[in-house]
Amino acid sequence: MPVYLAVNGKVFDVTSGRSFYGPGGPYENFAGRDASRGLACGSFDEDMLTKDLEGPLDDLKGLGEEEMEAMRGWEERFDAKYLVGIRRRGRRKDHDRESDSMSDLDSGSLAGVLRLWFERQVLITWQLLTIDGWRCSLPTTCWRTGSSLVEKQTAASKRHQAPLKIFRPTEDERLKVEGGTTSPAIVPSERDLIPFLPPMVDEKPNKYEPQDFLPIPTYEEATSTRPSSSQSHRGPEEISHDAERQGLLSRNDPTQRDGYQPPLLESARSSLDFLPSSGGSSRRSSAEALQREIQQMDVEEPGDPNSRAARLSKRITSLTHSLSSINLPFRQWLPSGQYIRARIPSFLHGFRFNPNWIIVGRIFAIFLVAFIIWIFFISDLFAVGSRRMNNRFNPNEVRAFIQARVDADNIRQNLQYATQYDHMAGTQGNYYLATWVETAYIEAGLERVGLERFDVYLNYPKKGGRKVAIIEPPELAWEATIEEELAYPPEFEAQQTMVFHGHSKTGNVTGPLIYANYGSRQDFQDLRDQGVDLTGSIALVRYYGSQPDRSLKIKAAEQAGAVGCIIYSDPAEDGFLKGEPYPKGRYMPEDGVQRGAVGMSSWVVGDVLSPGFASLPGERRRESKDNNPGLAKIPSIPLAWRDAQKLLQALKGHGKKIEDPKAKGGVPNVEWWTGDSGSPTVHLMNDQIEKEREPIYNVLGAIIGLEQPEKSIVVGNHRDAWCFGGADPGSGTAILLEVVRIFGDLKKAGWRPLRTIEFASWDGEEYNMIGSTEHVEARIEDVRRDAFAYLNVDTAVTGTEFKAEGPIFETALKRVLDRVTDPNSNRTIREIWEENQTTMNGLGSGSDYVAFLDLAGTSSIDMWFEGQPFPYHSCYDNFEWMDKFGDPGFHYHKAMAQIWALLILDMADRPLLPFDFNVYAREVTKYVDNLEKYINSKSRKIDLTTLKEAAQQFVFNAKIFQDWDVAWGNMIDASGGYESHAMEIKRMSHNTRMADFETNLLDIGGGLPGREQFKHIIFAPDLWNNYGVAYFPGVRDAVDEEDWELAQKQLEKAARLLDHAAKKLNH
């Protein structure tokens, strides 16, 4: 039942921290920071008169008629059981401090007040107290000192016998009472305050009905609506209150907002009004109903290895009920005091030994009970079960519950809201979206919810700052449109981002135009072989093909001598030659432009100005952006084929005529020529806004584990997009929120995993995987030690073919795929997977797993449903595209949510981590064989003996290690479903060694030569294909540079680390 607090006509919801100005008034988030624990904030003046809380509202003293009328309205509207009235005496000018406002006093004060009220305190006399410039009240006052709640108890509260606990203060925890006196502080834990708050039952009405139009808030409204219950997350700083947020994220700088205006009030909805919640869309309204639903889903799968855990769970439950029903007759066995006194030897009386025999008997009873319990534990009668702490929930029932709970309509609504406005990293739209995601986490009941801030280098386009034009000869003079047409009619007021490249170089250059196909190093070499001089030229290249990474197209153009680079979207790759373009079909229209980052993420990942350390607010260390290995050296700009057509037509008759059909694009009405130094002169200008310290925000939340709460399974998807982000990343974000809702429902029913599940909505991924990388670098040792796995979903759905990368997850993933049905074929996704002979490759780059795997050594997986090309990184990648062409009905979104959630459950709640080292060892052996072939293709020989031996050692140790899993399962079966305490310790050690294997493959203190940020000796982004993976990258990089001595050294290092990691599995 909610608790409401009325102050001068303003009503506060104590249980959620929301404030209202009266019935029907505008929503406003209260400035308090502790509402998730049932507390709220407020400041109170000298007088406060209250009546019994359950008494009639009319009897509350100190309230005016207007205030009483407001409180009656709120009672009728929200069915409030507890309403508290507070009257402020005097006006602000009567006080010498500005601390009288409702937002100045921290939440603990109200907790203490409520404590007295719930003890039916009738009248409280207040005396003022000043603490560090804040005005508080006694007799019972709480406030925050650091992270502790501090409570002061006075004689007044003692007279009323308020049951307050006394705690020993530390020396520095003291109060300065007005008048100069001091008294010791008493420090309870936060849990000590909770029992004194009113009972809170989730009876909120379903207020999240979808609306036709969502007004985008102003920036001030966005920053003022952050849920008060969000807390500072561990590690990096976050904003403490609204005023500070507005200062830190202000967009008043005219240069900063020249290219990006704040969202408008009329063009988006309130996040709370839209968010599908468990309260509204859920088919159950209480934890008890959820438990009943889970218990009804008792599905045993034949041959499922986890059925052992299910039987174990049931047996423990049965044992618990049996033991609790036994009435052990200890008391009748204990001798009475009279019996002992009658039999005591008479000579003892000579010593005047006259003990209290009742006390002696009780001490004897305590020792007897302790001895019996000790015997029980030594004999393993109370052996610790593998699911002992979670034994109310059968694992198969939980799996069935998760699958049945996924709602495609919820996912669709999530995506519809997330794509209402553009949300590039560092912009107001993305910050507002972060607060919406944060609210969803809180609504789901996640713990440790908060925003995590980093200040990083970002760039933005300027209006009029970008130009592509033919300036010579005059008869061919022409200027490109550059911008896309509006994806939505102007009346929708959906702001659309301008066309540019993230992390591109500012520049203003001219030169002859030269066409270089896909812009690979080989393409530029082919031009040189034909006698085409690229020095001082503007290179025109197309997306995809033999060089899929846009940043490396620019790098290759720079190395070839070009001074600028234009990249266009060719219809042969993603346009009308593939099929009907948008809005009639799924493909890129003629004005569609693929934005994207051009930072060298193969060299530097994360914030390019802080490689290897986190860009925390206030961090003074910064690298220069000049000659930075992570940034391009020449300016670039993306174009639609509509504009590129004019440039290609202007090349006719210049250079060499292209005959190879593979070198020709699909732009119509073009005769394909290479161009040369005599080609028409092109002017390329890229004048932009560059911010070296732009705030970005990750959104974090968790469900704390029971058995190993310090160990975590991290689940992530990035939130920022180049425009509306229907597929990339909106499909993943929409699914993440549905997965969070489902696990929140489980938690509300009393379920918890064995290991902590951490949910992350990353910011800045599109620029250079910035948010996830800074998160890892800020806590690198913690992640290496405690993160057991990272499960990533980026662009979740663009088609129907399931793909995944991360070979160590293969067995666990197949088990999950066997449970999920393909929406089109009515077969399991595993059947289709195996029919297509799909394999799981290693992870390269391109998404947020990079920092976890390559920097921290956390085993990682990436998953998605793939389809034909779509308007990638264009404003046509929006909700309408997904709803009509990407996944009508959102059936594959539902399947992806089931796969993701079931894999999370397996990783977080199986007694044994479901990694398969036999598969991993098999794949590593293949990587070694492929490396040998690659080296031989260079016509050079390197001795691979030590690496081959290390790979075989891994195969040998992996089999021994994996056999222990079978032995543990047999032990559980043989013991009737129980696990001894000693076996439990061995199992947890086994899990830890399993998770440590990947960390042991890191070259800590070293790294890949030339790109030392990357530490993993088996996986890294390919140096010349950022999206691809390089196996044994240190060796391959040296081979590519033909540095054979370095290649041999890197091979020996890889062999040594692999052999060490393999042996550590069993030792």
Side-chain angles (χ1 to χ4, degrees):
M1 187 72 66
V3 179
Y4 296 97
L5 176 67
V7 185
N8 290 349
K10 191 172 183 179
V11 181
F12 293 83
D13 182 345
V14 174
T15 55
S16 71
R18 301 170 191 158
S19 65
F20 310 88
Y21 288 103
Y27 169 79
E28 180 189 47
N29 192 6
F30 196 25
R33 300 280 303 281
D34 293 288
S36 63
R37 294 193 292 275
L39 309 180
C41 304
S43 81
F44 311 94
D45 261 295
E46 288 111 301
D47 289 347
M48 181 178 296
L49 300 175
T50 65
K51 191 73 173 179
D52 187 335
L53 290 179
E54 299 189 22
L57 289 176
D58 292 313
D59 292 340
L60 285 174
K61 298 180 180 180
L63 294 178
E65 190 61 33
E66 181 180 347
E67 296 165 342
M68 291 300 308
E69 190 64 32
M71 292 178 64
R72 291 192 192 97
W74 282 111
E75 183 190 36
E76 293 172 1
R77 183 170 177 179
F78 288 97
D79 190 27
K81 183 176 180 182
Y82 300 107
L83 285 164
V84 180
I86 301 176
R87 178 174 63 86
R88 291 175 63 182
R89 190 178 70 182
R91 300 178 180 177
R92 173 179 291 276
K93 65 181 182 180
D94 297 331
H95 303 291
D96 57 353
R97 299 184 182 273
E98 294 183 359
S99 56
D100 300 24
S101 66
M102 286 302 298
S103 61
D104 283 343
L105 185 64
D106 210 328
S107 61
S109 182
L110 185 57
V113 173
L114 291 177
R115 171 179 294 192
L116 291 180
W117 279 333
F118 296 139
E119 289 299 317
R120 299 182 180 275
Q121 189 73 36
V122 177
L123 181 63
I124 305 174
T125 302
W126 298 88
Q127 67 181 101
L128 284 180
L129 186 68
T130 300
I131 309 161
D132 295 332
W134 290 11
R135 180 160 292 182
C136 311
S137 303
L138 293 177
T140 300
T141 304
C142 301
W143 64 91
R144 186 170 296 277
T145 299
S147 61
S148 303
L149 287 175
V150 181
E151 177 181 273
K152 169 70 177 174
Q153 181 184 21
T154 67
S157 61
K158 292 181 181 178
R159 285 198 299 273
H160 294 285
Q161 298 180 347
L164 304 180
K165 296 184 178 181
I166 304 299
F167 295 82
R168 291 291 182 185
T170 59
E171 283 298 321
D172 57 338
E173 290 171 331
R174 308 186 69 84
L175 309 179
K176 291 186 178 181
V177 181
E178 199 165 62
T181 60
T182 60
S183 58
I186 302 167
V187 187
S189 67
E190 297 173 6
R191 289 178 295 183
D192 294 318
L193 297 177
I194 298 304
F196 296 93
L197 295 177
M200 291 178 283
V201 182
D202 186 10
E203 297 180 2
K204 291 180 283 188
N206 178 17
K207 58 182 179 297
Y208 303 115
E209 294 296 328
Q211 304 174 15
D212 293 333
F213 299 97
L214 299 177
I216 297 179
T218 64
Y219 183 70
E220 289 73 17
E221 289 175 318
T223 56
S224 68
T225 54
R226 180 172 176 211
S228 61
S229 54
S230 65
Q231 306 167 31
S232 292
H233 205 277
R234 52 196 177 156
E237 294 181 28
E238 64 167 310
I239 297 177
S240 59
H241 54 72
D242 294 340
E244 184 182 355
R245 289 172 187 227
Q246 293 166 1
L248 290 172
L249 285 179
S250 174
R251 294 296 184 269
N252 296 327
D253 181 355
T255 61
Q256 165 66 13
R257 305 322 308 164
D258 190 18
Y260 185 83
Q261 297 301 319
L264 300 175
L265 178 62
E266 294 80 8
S267 56
R269 286 161 279 192
S270 163
S271 62
L272 287 175
D273 288 339
F274 187 86
L275 180 68
S277 72
S278 58
S281 59
S282 173
R283 291 167 294 174
R284 302 293 185 270
S285 60
S286 68
E288 292 79 5
L290 286 171
Q291 276 191 249
R292 286 196 299 272
E293 183 174 344
I294 294 173
Q295 290 164 359
Q296 290 167 2
M297 295 179 177
D298 190 358
V299 181
E300 286 277 351
E301 292 180 288
D304 184 0
N306 203 53
S307 61
R308 296 189 183 102
R311 294 195 299 272
L312 175 63
S313 170
K314 291 182 176 180
R315 290 187 177 110
I316 292 178
T317 303
S318 176
L319 175 63
T320 302
H321 292 319
S322 299
L323 290 177
S324 63
S325 65
I326 297 175
N327 184 17
L328 296 176
F330 289 120
R331 294 183 64 86
Q332 69 181 28
W333 297 342
L334 298 178
S336 65
Q338 294 173 340
Y339 178 85
I340 297 174
R341 185 189 297 272
R343 285 161 177 74
I344 205 74
S346 58
F347 71 86
L348 288 178
H349 293 285
F351 295 97
R352 297 181 180 180
F353 181 66
N354 189 22
N356 187 325
W357 293 107
I358 295 177
I359 294 177
V360 172
R362 288 176 179 174
I363 293 173
F364 175 76
I366 291 172
F367 277 105
L368 178 61
V369 171
F371 176 76
I372 293 172
I373 293 174
W374 180 74
I375 289 295
F376 281 160
F377 274 98
I378 289 298
S379 64
D380 272 343
L381 179 61
F382 290 144
V384 181
S386 63
R387 298 297 303 276
R388 68 199 186 285
M389 300 181 191
N390 208 20
N391 54 49
R392 288 179 296 166
F393 298 92
N394 180 286
N396 289 314
E397 295 170 6
V398 175
R399 289 190 183 91
F401 172 85
I402 285 175
Q403 283 193 267
R405 203 78 175 174
V406 177
D407 190 331
D409 288 337
N410 274 354
I411 300 173
R412 184 180 183 275
Q413 290 178 35
N414 288 339
L415 182 63
Q416 187 175 15
Y417 181 78
T419 55
Q420 289 295 304
Y421 45 90
D422 65 302
H423 44 281
M424 287 192 300
T427 64
Q428 297 155 12
N430 201 37
Y431 175 77
Y432 179 67
L433 199 61
T435 64
W436 176 66
V437 172
E438 182 186 36
T439 300
Y441 282 11
I442 294 168
E443 289 286 335
L446 297 192
E447 300 151 293
R448 301 198 310 221
V449 176
L451 300 182
E452 178 183 49
R453 173 184 168 182
F454 298 99
D455 293 350
V456 302
Y457 171 73
L458 299 177
N459 68 313
Y460 301 99
K462 283 183 182 178
K463 286 183 180 179
R466 291 147 302 125
K467 184 177 182 179
V468 173
I470 299 175
I471 58 175
E472 290 289 343
E475 62 271 19
L476 294 179
W478 163 88
E479 185 172 337
T481 304
I482 297 181
E483 304 296 352
E484 294 177 312
E485 301 297 327
L486 291 178
Y488 295 103
E491 59 266 24
F492 279 77
E493 299 188 17
Q495 188 174 322
Q496 186 164 311
T497 58
M498 291 182 284
V499 170
F500 78 114
H501 276 151
H503 280 172
S504 57
K505 182 175 179 60
T506 296
N508 194 342
V509 295
T510 59
L513 182 68
I514 294 179
Y515 171 70
N517 197 15
Y518 290 115
S520 68
R521 288 186 295 174
Q522 186 60 52
D523 288 328
F524 285 107
Q525 183 60 49
D526 290 343
L527 288 173
R528 283 191 291 267
D529 293 344
Q530 296 177 65
V532 176
D533 183 10
L534 287 105
T535 304
S537 66
I538 305 294
L540 175 64
V541 301
R542 52 182 174 145
Y543 276 112
Y544 304 109
S546 55
Q547 179 49 271
D549 189 331
R550 71 185 72 83
S551 65
L552 295 174
K553 295 175 188 286
I554 298 168
K555 182 75 172 178
E558 172 206 326
Q559 291 184 347
V563 294
C565 186
I566 300 168
I567 311 178
Y568 77 95
S569 299
D570 195 282
E573 303 297 333
D574 60 3
F576 70 87
L577 292 179
K578 290 285 187 179
E580 194 73 46
Y582 188 82
K584 295 182 179 180
R586 68 173 288 135
Y587 297 96
M588 183 81 86
E590 64 175 327
D591 65 303
V593 183
Q594 181 187 141
R595 299 155 180 80
V598 294
M600 306 299 166
S601 54
S602 297
W603 273 267
V604 177
V605 67
D607 182 11
V608 294
L609 302 189
S610 65
F613 59 95
S615 294
L616 299 171
E619 173 61 58
R620 296 183 178 181
R621 289 185 297 168
R622 305 293 283 173
E623 300 291 335
S624 172
K625 59 185 173 60
D626 299 325
N627 297 317
N628 190 301
L631 295 174
K633 304 296 189 298
I634 60 175
S636 66
I637 198 166
L639 286 183
W641 72 257
R642 168 200 63 189
D643 287 335
Q645 182 183 51
K646 297 292 186 181
L647 297 173
L648 291 166
Q649 289 172 342
L651 288 176
K652 183 177 179 180
H654 296 278
K656 303 292 183 180
K657 187 173 183 179
I658 300 173
E659 303 294 344
D660 184 359
K662 293 182 180 180
K664 297 179 181 180
V667 179
N669 303 319
V670 169
E671 189 173 301
W672 295 84
W673 291 73
T674 62
D676 57 16
S677 58
S679 296
T681 302
V682 169
H683 177 207
L684 188 159
M685 180 175 69
N686 186 39
D687 186 17
Q688 58 189 354
I689 302 162
E690 297 183 59
K691 307 290 285 187
E692 291 197 8
R693 293 184 178 275
E694 185 72 1
I696 64 170
Y697 295 87
N698 299 326
V699 187
L700 307 175
I703 298 177
I704 307 303
L706 286 173
E707 183 177 79
Q708 290 182 288
E710 75 283 0
K711 304 300 182 183
S712 62
I713 306 300
V714 186
V715 179
N717 159 264
H718 77 90
R719 186 182 66 256
D720 63 305
W722 288 115
C723 196
F724 301 115
D728 181 14
S731 58
T733 299
I735 292 170
L736 175 68
L737 293 180
E738 178 67 358
V739 170
V740 165
R741 182 188 69 82
I742 293 168
F743 276 97
D745 285 349
L746 279 171
K747 177 178 173 290
K748 291 171 185 176
W751 175 89
R752 281 189 182 273
L754 294 179
R755 304 163 201 104
T756 294
I757 304 173
E758 296 181 0
F759 295 96
S761 173
W762 307 118
D763 200 352
E765 186 273 351
E766 292 291 3
Y767 277 85
N768 198 20
M769 288 73 73
I770 300 177
S772 56
T773 302
E774 301 309 302
H775 172 86
V776 170
E777 288 182 335
R779 49 182 59 76
I780 186 68
E781 295 303 325
D782 292 340
V783 176
R784 286 173 178 169
R785 181 183 63 249
D786 294 332
F788 274 6
Y790 175 67
L791 281 57
N792 187 71
V793 171
D794 189 330
T795 305
V797 178
T798 60
T800 62
E801 185 179 1
F802 181 76
K803 295 290 186 69
E805 293 176 343
I808 197 171
F809 291 85
E810 182 179 300
T811 300
L813 181 62
K814 284 183 177 180
R815 183 166 51 238
V816 166
L817 297 182
D818 212 22
R819 295 182 60 96
V820 181
T821 302
D822 177 74
N824 287 341
S825 66
N826 204 30
R827 295 187 295 161
T828 69
I829 295 178
R830 178 173 181 172
E831 290 176 321
I832 299 173
W833 171 286
E834 292 179 341
E835 180 181 286
N836 295 336
Q837 297 182 335
T838 308
T839 59
M840 295 184 71
N841 296 321
L843 290 164
S845 184
S847 196
D848 289 300
Y849 49 76
V850 173
F852 284 92
L853 179 63
D854 297 337
L855 277 61
T858 300
S859 297
S860 302
I861 185 173
D862 191 29
M863 302 174 288
W864 68 98
F865 277 101
E866 188 174 80
Q868 291 297 308
F870 67 103
Y872 181 55
H873 287 182
S874 160
C875 286
Y876 298 113
D877 175 19
N878 51 31
F879 173 78
E880 286 71 22
W881 180 89
M882 183 62 74
D883 204 32
K884 294 177 183 177
F885 308 112
D887 186 20
F890 284 72
H891 303 299
Y892 282 92
H893 282 76
K894 180 177 180 178
M896 186 73 247
Q898 291 175 333
I899 293 169
W900 202 2
L902 290 173
L903 189 59
I904 293 168
L905 183 68
D906 259 19
M907 298 305 302
D909 209 37
R910 277 188 178 265
L912 285 174
L913 278 174
F915 289 147
D916 193 330
F917 280 88
N918 287 329
V919 171
Y920 199 178
R922 179 197 69 201
E923 293 301 309
V924 168
T925 302
K926 291 181 182 178
Y927 304 156
V928 174
D929 292 341
N930 291 336
L931 178 65
E932 185 174 33
K933 293 176 183 177
Y934 183 74
I935 293 172
N936 290 339
S937 70
K938 303 293 183 179
S939 301
R940 291 296 297 264
K941 295 291 184 181
I942 293 180
D943 186 3
L944 277 79
T945 302
T946 55
L947 188 58
K948 289 181 177 180
E949 290 175 351
Q952 290 304 313
Q953 183 69 32
F954 182 22
V955 171
F956 175 76
N957 281 280
K959 184 178 185 307
I960 297 174
F961 186 79
Q962 213 71 47
D963 287 346
W964 194 91
D965 292 18
V966 178
W968 178 85
N970 293 336
M971 183 279 300
I972 293 295
D973 285 341
S975 64
Y978 298 107
E979 180 187 50
S980 69
H981 182 63
M983 185 58 73
E984 179 206 21
I985 294 174
K986 290 181 180 179
R987 174 175 56 80
M988 288 193 291
S989 172
H990 185 80
N991 285 337
T992 300
R993 281 181 281 127
M994 201 181 306
D996 286 346
F997 175 79
E998 207 89 57
T999 306
N1000 290 330
L1001 292 175
L1002 299 180
D1003 181 17
I1004 298 175
L1008 301 182
R1011 43 179 182 153
E1012 283 76 13
Q1013 193 179 10
F1014 298 92
K1015 307 293 185 183
H1016 206 291
I1017 56 104
I1018 295 180
F1019 303 119
D1022 191 304
L1023 197 59
W1024 277 96
N1025 179 8
N1026 180 43
Y1027 297 114
V1029 57
Y1031 301 109
F1032 297 103
V1035 182
R1036 287 181 64 98
D1037 289 356
V1039 169
D1040 288 341
E1041 295 297 322
E1042 298 185 353
D1043 188 338
W1044 307 108
E1045 182 180 354
L1046 179 60
Q1048 189 68 53
K1049 289 180 179 180
Q1050 287 294 307
L1051 188 145
E1052 298 298 332
K1053 178 185 287 186
R1056 184 171 65 255
L1057 289 172
L1058 177 59
D1059 182 71
H1060 171 74
K1063 290 178 179 177
K1064 290 282 286 185
L1065 281 174
N1066 297 307
H1067 298 89

